Amino acid sequence: MPYIREIVGQDHPTLRKVARRVDPKEIDEPLFQQLIDDMFETMYDAPGVGLAAPQVNVSKRVFVMDVRDDEHEPAVVINPKIESAEEEVELREGCLSVPGMVGDITRYKRIVVTGLDRSGQKIRIEGEGLLAQCLQHEIDHLNGTLYIDRALNLRPAISEEEKEAAEA
Ligand code: NI
């Protein structure tokens, strides 16, 4: 059974580490599969559109996401690599590890990421819009970076519109 793990806050040292690559042999192990299930459970409970392993105090290069539209299935990405990124855009963003806050950040509008899925198969994700934003936010987490490091106009999320900013 999956369970909800504690999401660590912005001052937790694990959020500032470069997470370790996952050995592909590890992916099939029950403990690793449990981690993925727990991360989905935790993300949906929050609720958020993405969650990286360091946010549940596991320093490994894996994240889950679900942007909840009709086009995109929930996804797990292990050992992600950015293949290309195009066109900068300013977006509103939040983070489950920095609850109640929102800021404006420059992200790429389109991005291509490769990696492995939860069965160890190679995957390639082409993202635009919220999906592209989420991919960049989660990969930052794996590199010890938080959006607040670069965000401008960081502020408490007050309006409904601000509360709906991408929480990941
Ligand atoms: Ni985040």
Side-chain angles (χ1 to χ4, degrees):
M1 285 286 287
Y3 71 97
I4 296 163
R5 299 203 188 189
E6 182 191 348
I7 297 177
V8 300
Q10 61 180 103
D11 296 328
H12 197 285
T14 302
L15 286 178
R16 291 310 192 173
K17 285 185 196 163
V18 176
R20 279 180 294 108
R21 283 183 69 78
V22 176
D23 182 341
K25 284 177 287 192
E26 186 188 348
I27 296 173
D28 282 340
E29 288 174 12
L31 269 180
F32 192 79
Q33 293 291 317
Q34 176 80 44
L35 170 66
I36 291 168
D37 290 338
D38 292 351
M39 284 172 63
F40 273 116
E41 194 82 355
T42 305
M43 177 185 75
Y44 288 127
D45 175 70
V49 293
L51 187 77
Q55 293 184 275
V56 291
N57 196 18
V58 175
S59 192
K60 292 183 179 180
R61 303 187 78 79
V62 53
F63 63 83
V64 298
M65 63 180 181
D66 185 352
V67 295
R68 296 172 220 207
D69 62 21
D70 297 333
E71 262 177 82
H72 304 99
E73 297 286 310
V76 177
V77 187
I78 298 162
N79 298 338
K81 182 180 174 222
I82 296 174
E83 301 289 347
S84 66
E86 288 177 352
E87 201 180 331
E88 289 184 331
V89 60
E90 191 173 305
L91 298 168
R92 191 180 293 126
E93 192 163 304
C95 177
L96 296 174
S97 294
V98 190
M101 301 296 287
V102 69
D104 302 317
I105 191 167
T106 304
R107 293 287 190 196
Y108 291 103
K109 198 170 176 181
R110 283 183 296 280
I111 186 172
V112 178
V113 171
T114 56
L116 302 175
D117 68 11
R118 68 179 303 165
S119 53
Q121 301 298 307
K122 283 183 186 160
I123 49 168
R124 181 175 190 277
I125 299 176
E126 291 180 36
E128 267 197 58
L130 179 58
L131 181 63
Q133 182 182 11
C134 185
L135 285 164
Q136 290 165 81
H137 182 107
E138 300 317 325
I139 291 171
D140 278 353
H141 271 305
L142 304 184
N143 293 326
T145 298
L146 298 177
Y147 88 101
I148 52 173
D149 301 346
R150 295 199 288 116
L152 300 175
N153 194 17
L154 195 67
R155 57 201 184 270
I158 295 169
S159 69
E160 282 310 307
E161 204 189 350
E162 284 178 338
K163 285 177 188 165
E164 282 170 13
E167 286 260 39

